[in-house]
Amino acid sequence: MEPKQALEGLPAPRGTMRTSFSEKCFTVLNYIFFILLGLTTLLPFVNLLAKSLSSESAVISGRVGLLPVGLQLETYQYVLQDSMFLNSLKVSIALTVVGTVCSLFLTTLTAYPLSKVRLRGRKGLLLIFVFTMLFSGGLIPTYLLMQNLNLVNSFPVLFLPAMVNVYNMLIIKNYFEGLPEELEESAKLDGAGNIRILASVMLPLSLPVLATIGLFFAVAFWNDYFSAMIYISDPAIKPMQLYLKELLVSSSGDFLKDNVDAAINTTPQSIQASSILLATIPILLVYPFLQKYFVKGVLVGSIKG
């Protein structure tokens, strides 16, 4: 018997599996679906970019699609020189940094003791936290509370009410529960206390989930405009999202009335588009640094519990 004929009679090697026609069709449809889904999220940004770079006549006539028509950069020059835009950008950056650090710190301090079975009243405390996920005091009582605490029209009111997110806290708690208890016991034998164990043992091992939850907090603080709309009327502490909201709902051209050159060479639509794009860039720059922790942190932190 020839070698080729002998090989044809042998079974397929282990580890190899033939893909059926239906599986191939399913894979192709998956690729098509996710490509279309990605395009639906990407194309609006491309259109905004094209509008921000297009000439006044092209934007007004509606000839701008995915490519700019009549390239110009005066809209970005106007936005970057706008004191209100720059001030709101500074407020949003400060809010994101301070709010994320404080929220992550307090959420971690809450999650660590709740991850210990030996904690007395643990189930009752968890029930109280979960209860707040379903019911809240309401908008008016919350506003009256902030007013009585003299926090209205102040910077802390933008992050203090949202410093502990119960959902994020439960993810961190589940991650702590998945860590080996032997590490904590060996640290106790060396004389370490609870704070030292948390800082020197638990936190270094929890970087994936902490980075993921930190990204959640950062995006939430950066995108939040409702809290500022309710509590803030002082233009000096208005964050970026509230500035963009007022920019988009303002009557056409009102924000250009004090700048004659910008009113002649640009349009309200191009100014709005460039402002939105510039406000999106800072938070997009954060994700690449946390990407390697993102998937691992969410999966490991949510498997148990």
Side-chain angles (χ1 to χ4, degrees):
M1 182 180 294
E2 296 181 0
K4 183 177 180 180
Q5 295 176 350
L7 290 176
E8 288 178 354
L10 294 176
R14 292 184 179 180
T16 61
M17 183 179 297
R18 294 182 180 179
T19 305
S20 64
F21 177 76
S22 60
E23 291 176 342
K24 291 180 180 179
C25 292
F26 180 74
T27 302
V28 172
L29 290 176
N30 269 341
Y31 276 108
I32 295 175
F33 171 75
F34 284 110
I35 289 174
L36 293 177
L37 186 63
L39 289 176
T40 57
T41 59
L42 180 62
L43 292 181
F45 285 97
V46 177
N47 179 254
L48 284 177
L49 179 62
K51 282 184 177 180
S52 66
L53 296 174
S54 299
S55 63
E56 176 191 12
S57 59
V59 175
I60 294 176
S61 61
R63 292 185 288 115
V64 181
L66 300 179
L67 296 176
V69 179
L71 187 64
Q72 55 84 26
L73 297 175
E74 293 182 3
T75 54
Y76 288 97
Q77 182 179 0
Y78 167 76
V79 172
L80 293 175
Q81 292 177 351
D82 184 10
S83 59
M84 290 297 296
F85 176 85
L86 296 177
N87 181 73
S88 62
L89 180 62
K90 293 177 183 178
V91 173
S92 285
I93 293 176
L95 171 62
T96 302
V97 173
V98 175
T100 300
V101 172
C102 294
S103 298
L104 195 59
F105 176 76
L106 191 58
T107 302
T108 303
L109 288 184
T110 306
Y112 179 65
L114 290 176
S115 66
K116 304 305 175 185
V117 181
R118 64 178 182 273
L119 178 67
R120 295 182 180 179
R122 174 175 176 265
K123 292 184 178 180
L125 291 174
L126 285 174
L127 182 61
I128 293 174
F129 277 103
V130 174
F131 181 83
T132 62
M133 297 177 65
L134 306 176
F135 304 97
S136 64
L139 180 60
I140 295 177
T142 304
Y143 180 85
L144 293 177
L145 175 62
M146 296 299 110
Q147 189 178 43
N148 293 332
L149 294 175
N150 295 322
L151 291 175
V152 176
N153 266 331
S154 65
F155 180 75
V157 78
L158 295 174
F159 64 90
L160 283 181
M163 283 188 65
V164 176
N165 184 285
V166 179
Y167 176 78
N168 294 338
M169 185 271 293
L170 293 177
I171 293 179
I172 299 178
K173 179 189 78 70
N174 292 339
Y175 193 97
F176 284 147
E177 290 176 349
L179 296 177
E181 296 183 1
E182 291 77 8
L183 295 175
E184 184 175 354
E185 293 175 358
S186 61
K188 286 183 178 180
L189 292 176
D190 293 335
N194 291 324
I195 300 298
R196 181 65 181 274
I197 294 173
L198 176 62
S200 301
V201 179
M202 296 300 178
L203 292 185
L205 296 174
S206 305
L207 285 180
V209 71
L210 294 179
T212 303
I213 299 303
L215 181 62
F216 286 170
F217 278 123
V219 173
F221 282 119
W222 183 267
N223 291 332
D224 183 36
Y225 78 93
F226 187 75
S227 299
M229 185 176 64
I230 297 300
Y231 300 121
I232 302 298
S233 60
D234 186 1
I237 52 177
K238 285 184 178 180
M240 175 60 63
Q241 303 306 323
L242 183 59
Y243 168 83
L244 292 178
K245 181 258 180 185
E246 294 177 349
L247 181 67
L248 294 175
V249 302
S250 62
S251 58
S252 179
D254 282 354
F255 51 88
L256 295 174
K257 62 184 179 181
D258 296 330
N259 193 321
V260 178
D261 294 334
I264 295 175
N265 300 319
T266 61
T267 63
Q269 294 86 352
S270 59
I271 295 294
Q272 292 169 354
S274 57
S275 299
I276 293 173
L277 288 173
L278 289 174
T280 308
I281 291 175
I283 197 65
L284 288 179
L285 295 178
V286 176
Y287 181 75
F289 297 99
L290 304 177
Q291 183 180 7
K292 61 181 179 180
Y293 300 112
F294 189 77
V295 176
K296 181 180 178 182
V298 173
L299 291 179
V300 177
S302 59
I303 287 175
K304 191 174 179 181

